[in-house]
């Protein structure tokens, strides 16, 4: 009967076979006493413990590796009557390479490691098309070698012997790798520092002062998925008891979105003087500048409102953003839906302005999709219904505490796995 082939991890992940992870797991070393051998490899050679497992057969396997972790030795204590027991004390054919055999020899000698001989200078001549039986190694001092090195052998407590060698070509390669690693580490350090500076700069783009309004308790919070992001909220002091409320979500993530967010913030902040009297003109100008200064596929959803503290009314434009949620004091819910399309996609752009009361006891929630589209471990979205329920259950909290409790609930729901910026504004009539 033909057996159907089992599905592979490569098929499941879409990886090609040549791109699959592959490395040598370990080389077996048979010993008489595991604890004694483990102490030798750990204390005298400076190896680290990689694994310590008990097989179903009851046999214990212990894996040890040199500090760089590139090779693993599996120490096995075989039964006395087994064929493997006869292999203890053999020449293992395993060779460790180091850049300085003499230094390692001196270090290990001081720790009591037994060597078969002092390090010897050895040269190896490469002979192209040499017969398989011909020894291609010649002692130092004979004809000019292609490469050379220093060699010795050491033993473990069971007289298993290992080679220790430094080779000119290998040492050069190791040094080159170290230089590359150092350069990469420096680049990563510099990039991390630049990203940290970018984060500090972006934090300054969020509101640093809060206009004082006797009839409104409000707060904003932004928890970015990466160190910088494309979500943005703001509170603009329009004077005469008016305040501008801004919530935006830029397409994309990371540094690119952060740069676009800064562009949009600059457009809003440099022009908001006309926002109170001519909101349509203000938003059309913001759209035009954002369109002209960004790529064709870049856009931003935006909720912009002006709150009048005296009349307790909110005039707003929802530019392709998620609907705002207005929970009235009597428990009824009103959705502040889109009044126009997103910013940045069209040079000619029109918007309409809507108006709604924001009375005592009312709660307004503005949010980005990082709130409602956060996923649980079961790939379930947090959703609008959960957000509404939180607003209802916690409506007695202050705006600041309510915003924080929602963010914490979203993070708990998604088990701290955040894939998008979480940004939220809560405003409560008081």
């Amino acid at each position: 009967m033909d057996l159907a082939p089992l599905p592979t991890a490569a098929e499941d992940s879409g990886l090609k076979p040549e791109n699959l992870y592959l490395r040598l797991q370990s080389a077996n070393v048979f010993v008489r006493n595991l604890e004694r051998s483990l102490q030798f490899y750990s204390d005298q050679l400076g190896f680290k413990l990689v694994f310590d497992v008990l097989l179903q057969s009851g046999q214990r396997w212990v894996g040890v590796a040199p500090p760089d972790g590139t090779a693993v030795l599996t120490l096995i204590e075989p039964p006395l009557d087994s064929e493997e027991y006869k292999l203890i004390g053999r020449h293992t054919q395993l060779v460790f390479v180091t850049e300085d055999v003499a230094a390692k020899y001196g270090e290990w000698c001081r720790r009591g490691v037994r060597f078969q001989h002092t390090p010897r200078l050895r040269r190896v001549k490469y002979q192209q098309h040499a017969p398989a039986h011909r020894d291609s190694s010649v002692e130092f001092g004979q004809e000019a070698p292609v490469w050379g090195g220093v060699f010795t052998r050491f033993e473990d407590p069971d007289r298993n012997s290992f080679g220790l060698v430094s080779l000119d070509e290998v040492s050069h390669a190791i040094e080159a790798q170290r230089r590359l690693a150092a350069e990469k580490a420096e680049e990563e350090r510099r990039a991390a520092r630049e990203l940290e500076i970018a984060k500090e700069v972006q934090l300054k783009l969020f509101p640093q002062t809060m206009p004082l309004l006797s009839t409104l308790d409000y707060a904003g919070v932004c928890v970015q998925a990466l160190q910088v992001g494309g979500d943005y909220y703001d509170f603009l002091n329009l004077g005469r008891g008016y305040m501008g409320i801004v919530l935006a979500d830029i397409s994309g993530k990371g540094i690119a979105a952060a740069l676009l967010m800064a562009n949009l913030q600059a457009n809003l902040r440099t022009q908001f003087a006309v926002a109170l009297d001519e909101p349509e003109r203000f938003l059309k100008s913001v759209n035009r500048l954002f369109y002209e200064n960004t790529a064709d596929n870049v856009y931003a959803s935006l909720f912009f409102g002006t709150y009048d503290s005296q009349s307790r009314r909110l005039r707003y434009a929802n530019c392709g953003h998620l609907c705002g949620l207005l929970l009235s004091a009597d428990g009824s819910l009103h959705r502040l839906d889109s009044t126009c399309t997103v910013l940045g996609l069209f040079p000619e752009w029109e918007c309409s302005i809507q108006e709604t009361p924001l009375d005592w006891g009312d709660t307004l929630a503005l949010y980005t999709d990082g709130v409602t589209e956060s996923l649980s471990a079961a790939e379930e979205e947090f959703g609008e219904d959960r957000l509404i329920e939180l607003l209802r259950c916690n409506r007695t909290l202050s705006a600041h505490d309510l915003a924080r409790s929602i963010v914490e609930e979203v993070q708990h729901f998604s088990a701290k796995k955040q894939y998008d910026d979480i940004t939220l504004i809560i405003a409560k009539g008081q």
Side-chain angles (χ1 to χ4, degrees), residues 205-207 209-211 213 216-223 231-236 243-249 268-269 301-307 314 316-317 321-327 336 358 362-372 387 391 397-407 410 421-429:
L205 301 181
F206 289 98
T209 60
M210 307 282 278
L213 298 174
L216 195 68
D217 173 29
Y218 63 96
V221 60
C222 178
V223 181
D231 280 10
Y232 166 58
Y233 75 90
D234 211 343
F235 304 112
L236 306 175
M243 181 179 72
I245 300 175
V246 181
L247 185 72
D249 188 356
L268 287 163
R269 288 231 163 182
S301 64
L302 171 75
F303 187 102
F304 176 78
T306 58
Y307 174 74
L314 177 72
Y316 68 91
H321 197 72
L322 298 171
C323 68
L325 300 174
L326 181 58
L327 185 64
L336 310 187
L358 185 48
D362 293 351
T363 300
L364 172 67
L366 307 175
Y367 54 94
T368 60
D369 54 10
V371 175
T372 51
L387 177 57
L391 293 172
L397 295 177
S398 68
H400 177 272
D401 291 343
L402 179 53
R404 282 294 174 187
S405 68
I406 292 173
V407 170
V410 170
D421 299 342
I422 297 172
T423 307
L424 180 71
I425 287 177
I426 298 292
K428 301 185 65 177

Side-chain angles (χ1 to χ4, degrees), residues 274-295:
V274 299
L276 185 59
D277 298 322
E278 300 179 89
E280 294 95 337
R281 177 187 163 204
F282 164 65
L283 291 173
K284 288 177 70 173
S285 178
V286 169
N287 173 76
R288 179 178 54 80
L289 288 173
F290 195 63
Y291 174 83
E292 292 174 351
N293 295 325
T294 57

Side-chain angles (χ1 to χ4, degrees), residues 163-236:
L164 180 65
V165 62
S166 64
L167 305 173
D168 292 347
E169 293 299 319
V170 174
S171 296
H172 296 159
I174 290 174
E175 182 59 30
Q177 289 174 0
R178 280 187 171 175
R179 283 198 305 271
L180 289 174
E183 291 171 2
K184 183 179 179 181
E186 176 59 22
E187 290 176 2
E188 291 175 349
R189 186 200 64 78
R190 191 183 306 114
R193 178 55 186 154
E194 290 174 354
L195 197 57
E196 188 64 30
I197 293 172
K199 181 178 181 179
E200 294 171 2
V201 171
Q202 188 175 42
L203 287 175
K204 292 292 185 181
L205 301 181
F206 289 98
Q208 303 299 304
T209 60
M210 307 282 278
L212 294 176
L213 298 174
S214 60
T215 62
L216 195 68
D217 173 29
Y218 63 96
V221 60
C222 178
V223 181
Q224 292 161 334
L226 305 175
Q227 285 190 288
V228 292
D231 280 10
Y232 166 58
Y233 75 90
D234 211 343
F235 304 112
L236 306 175

